[in-house]
Amino acid sequence: MAGYSIKSMKEALADNTYPGRGIVIGKSADGKRAVFAYFITGRSANSRNRIFTEHGDELRTEPFDESKVEDPSLIIYSPVKVVGKKIIVTNGDQTDTIEAGLKAGRCFRHALKSRAFEPDAPNFTPRISGILDLEGEYNYSMSILKSADEEGSACNRYTFDYEPIAGLGHFLHTYVTDGNPLPTFEGEPERVRIPDDLKAFAEEIWSNLDNDNKISLYCRSVDLKSGETERVLINRYTR
């Protein structure tokens, strides 16, 4: 059935020069690990001037060359944070909003009600977010906050809740492809394959992102029994 087809990440990224920022969440093929990935791509010099850095369980974006930073407002943030046994991954400072919401006893969906798409007209870049809940039976959710029209006059909020299946992930990215203005992602998160080998998964994503536009990639897996983690971080620029 076409609605249940699964792509490789190579197929999902094929011929797409600019998917923007992307989140993949799912479960390893052997069913033993929760897995997620986050990547950023960029077209402008300001956007490309970034690297990922790890600080414990938190991931941050930082300027590669601080002297060349033009506007840090939408490019410097923490894509990954952990609250208890929940892992938050997003494409902006809504990571902090979700973190604060969880600590106040609110759920992922409710925490995001106070946020909207990015104020970067005419693109109105969607805010995409995910949460891996490792408390008890593993489950995950994804969200996209997107403009309701070309004027940015209202925000549509969509949340997708998943019961994990071994070898299956869901891929959500900000743009359909390159364009001016950039076309916003449409429909449900794409179904993609997640292998057992995290390094191979990271390499598949990185090697199929556009060479001119790719900036950074971060992948992490968590063993559902032991809690042991594996991480892969790739930056286009290294200090």
Side-chain angles (χ1 to χ4, degrees):
M1 296 172 63
Y4 291 90
S5 62
I6 305 176
K7 299 178 181 177
S8 65
M9 284 303 297
K10 179 179 180 179
E11 292 168 329
L13 293 168
D15 302 319
N16 189 347
T17 56
Y18 200 53
R21 285 162 277 174
I23 298 171
V24 183
I25 304 178
K27 198 175 194 181
S28 60
D30 60 12
K32 296 180 179 180
R33 284 159 289 166
V35 178
F36 74 89
Y38 178 63
F39 68 78
I40 58 175
T41 61
R43 300 186 302 179
S44 68
N46 188 52
S47 182
R48 291 177 177 178
N49 181 35
R50 287 183 290 174
I51 58 172
F52 283 167
T53 60
E54 273 194 297
H55 302 264
D57 284 330
E58 181 179 348
L59 183 72
R60 300 176 191 168
T61 64
E62 294 182 358
F64 172 66
D65 185 341
E66 293 189 7
S67 68
K68 295 181 179 180
V69 174
E70 298 170 16
D71 177 9
S73 61
L74 293 176
I75 65 168
I76 304 301
Y77 55 92
S78 295
V80 177
K81 285 190 172 185
V82 175
V83 178
K85 291 191 175 182
K86 295 179 173 66
I87 303 173
I88 307 162
V89 52
T90 89
N91 74 328
D93 65 9
Q94 71 268 28
T95 308
D96 302 335
T97 305
I98 299 167
E99 177 189 36
L102 294 178
K103 289 181 176 179
R106 294 190 291 273
C107 69
F108 174 69
R109 184 195 305 260
H110 187 248
L112 284 167
K113 281 191 173 182
S114 65
R115 302 305 303 268
F117 48 84
E118 294 182 356
D120 60 341
N123 297 315
F124 299 117
T125 298
R127 290 190 188 274
I128 58 173
S129 308
I131 188 164
L132 295 80
D133 188 347
L134 304 175
E135 186 77 48
E137 194 73 22
Y138 168 47
N139 64 86
Y140 60 95
S141 299
M142 304 184 83
S143 164
I144 182 167
L145 313 179
K146 55 192 289 188
S147 178
D149 56 25
E150 294 179 354
E151 288 72 43
S153 62
C155 180
N156 291 340
R157 298 175 176 85
Y158 304 90
T159 304
F160 306 90
D161 300 326
Y162 296 104
E163 297 178 3
I165 296 173
L168 175 66
H170 290 89
F171 177 31
L172 182 60
H173 46 102
T174 51
Y175 311 124
V176 174
T177 188
D178 208 345
N180 191 20
L182 289 158
T184 294
F185 181 90
E186 297 177 350
E188 295 182 24
E190 300 173 38
R191 294 162 55 89
V192 294
R193 295 189 194 97
I194 296 188
D196 288 331
D197 189 329
L198 190 71
K199 291 180 180 178
F201 184 53
E203 178 55 33
E204 181 183 15
I205 297 172
W206 186 250
S207 64
N208 285 288
L209 291 170
D210 182 80
N211 282 331
D212 291 331
N213 294 326
K214 63 185 179 184
I215 301 171
S216 295
L217 167 68
Y218 182 76
C219 299
R220 186 189 297 179
S221 68
V222 182
D223 188 287
L224 295 171
K225 286 189 176 180
S226 69
E228 182 180 353
T229 65
E230 182 180 1
R231 304 148 191 251
V232 178
L233 190 158
I234 303 173
N235 285 314
R236 178 174 178 173
Y237 304 116
T238 56
R239 289 172 174 163

